[in-house]
Amino acid sequence: MQALSPHGASGAITDVAGIMVGHHSDTRRPTGCSVVIAPGGAVAGVDVRGAAPGTRETDLLAPGNLVQQVHAVMLAGGSAWGLDAASGAVRWLEEQGIGLDVGVGRLPLVPAAVLFDLHVGDMRIRPDAAAGYAACAAASGRPPAEGNVGAGSGAVVGKTFGMQHAMKGGVGTASVTVDGVTVGALIACNAVGDVVDPDTGLPLAGARTADGSALRDARRALLRGEPPHQLLAGSNTTIGVIATDAQLTKVQAQRLAVAGHDGLARAINPVHTMSDGDTLFALATGHAPRHPGMLVLATMAAEAVARATVRAVLAARTLATPEGLVLPSHAELAARG
């Protein structure tokens, strides 16, 4: 297994055979969408831990339900409006001849999840079907861009004590390989909580002090009794996709999604709050000739998710909107110190 490099890349979800990723970033305001495509289909599962989710087609993935494979997963900004991006992915996939054979044609199956970025710029601009189509058209098997791109374009972290003390979130990716089997993750981090170093628990990006010059450490501040800012329900959320080339059943894919949330818990504090809609999908392409067992795969999934979440803030860039909102990046705050 690769060693975790907190300040460098550690693989990508596209290291998984049979996986492609594409981003679309809207230049009119910071928002966008990211798509993970499995052109050959993938056994899929999902686990929703946040209390304010925005999702599409998650019931399809229940282990007891009929359909065994999906063809892409869409992650988008724009809150509930952003779910429309999945319709564009369906159109693109149909044009490529990708989907479930229903006799009269092929029906692409595209589950989706969204995050809330409406407080960053003009909320009337949000991902739509055209954005989802564009993300698919841009997809490839190369390592995807990270930071202020796709679904992470308008992502913000550390809102526990208000947006004025928050920092820029984003998209990150990572992978781990054990004995020829790879598990990767793509995470769009827009959390209420801080993003922390999984090894030390120290914050990397999140709620800042009153003067904005340092990290407050939300966990410790809350435990000291500092009152949190009143949060709008659903105005946050970390969403992502775990992918592996191992051969899994739907039950196993769902368990892999469950295990992935352990990675979120290592890298975000607090996590899975009443104001987050934290949702992770799992995809298994089945390209690897072996299966290391679910204990190993679950450990790999949590590790990949934690690393990808860290990468989301390490790769983010400072954002300033015309409305006067300034969201410093991890790199800027570290340079000040």
Side-chain angles (χ1 to χ4, degrees), residues 116-142:
F116 185 103
D117 59 6
L118 303 180
H119 290 156
V120 182
D122 185 350
M123 63 84 69
R124 295 170 296 180
I125 300 169
R126 52 252 183 174
D128 56 12
Y133 187 98
C136 291
S140 77
R142 296 187 299 273

Side-chain angles (χ1 to χ4, degrees), residues 37 90 110 128 211 255 286 331:
I37 302 175
V90 169
V110 185
D128 56 12
D211 64 3
R255 292 305 304 175

Side-chain angles (χ1 to χ4, degrees), residues 13-14 19-23 35-37 92 135-144:
I13 192 173
T14 48
I19 291 294
M20 301 165 58
V21 172
H23 297 303
V35 65
V36 178
I37 302 175
W92 186 88
C136 291
S140 77
R142 296 187 299 273

Side-chain angles (χ1 to χ4, degrees), residues 39-331:
V43 175
V46 66
D47 189 46
V48 180
R49 293 288 178 93
T55 58
R56 162 177 165 153
E57 297 275 37
T58 51
D59 284 353
L60 181 77
L61 306 183
N65 288 346
L66 179 65
V67 171
Q68 294 300 303
Q69 293 191 329
V70 303
H71 308 96
V73 174
M74 180 64 69
L75 309 175
S79 192
W81 285 290
L83 290 170
D84 195 34
S87 298
V90 169
R91 181 164 65 89
W92 186 88
L93 290 164
E94 182 185 23
E95 291 175 1
Q96 312 309 309
I98 298 170
L100 175 68
D101 187 353
V102 292
V104 292
R106 289 195 173 272
L107 174 64
L109 299 173
V110 185
V114 292
L115 56 79
F116 185 103
D117 59 6
L118 303 180
H119 290 156
V120 182
D122 185 350
M123 63 84 69
R124 295 170 296 180
I125 300 169
R126 52 252 183 174
D128 56 12
Y133 187 98
C136 291
S140 77
R142 296 187 299 273
E146 297 175 285
N148 301 25
V149 295
S153 296
V156 183
V157 299
K159 290 162 278 189
T160 307
F161 301 101
M163 281 286 282
Q164 71 273 24
H165 301 301
M167 292 178 63
K168 187 68 184 73
V171 162
T173 187
S175 70
V176 293
T177 300
V178 173
D179 194 24
V181 174
T182 299
V183 177
L186 183 80
I187 301 293
C189 186
N190 184 58
V192 168
D194 296 346
V195 175
V196 304
D197 184 322
D199 292 326
T200 67
L202 296 176
L204 297 169
R208 291 174 292 138
T209 53
D211 64 3
S213 64
L215 289 165
R216 188 184 310 214
D217 194 331
R219 176 177 68 93
R220 295 183 185 278
L222 290 170
L223 293 175
R224 284 194 301 267
E226 293 185 31
H229 180 80
Q230 186 171 356
L231 298 167
L232 176 66
S235 57
N236 308 280
T237 296
T238 297
I239 52 178
V241 179
I242 302 161
T244 181
D245 45 17
Q247 298 181 23
L248 300 183
T249 65
K250 282 186 76 174
V251 171
Q252 291 171 326
Q254 195 266 340
R255 292 305 304 175
L256 203 66
V258 170
H261 281 280
D262 292 347
L264 290 187
R266 292 175 200 163
I268 302 171
N269 200 329
V271 71
H272 304 142
T273 75
M274 293 297 290
S275 295
D276 286 294
D278 301 333
T279 301
L280 292 179
F281 297 91
L283 301 176
T285 64
H287 284 250
R290 59 182 60 86
H291 190 306
M294 286 305 297
L295 176 61
V296 175
L297 282 176
T299 303
M300 294 166 69
E303 186 71 16
V305 168
R307 296 185 189 187
T309 305
V310 167
R311 286 293 312 165
V313 297
L314 295 186
R317 303 182 306 278
T318 296
L319 174 68
T321 70
E323 293 80 12
L325 177 65
V326 177
L327 298 165
S329 65
H330 163 84

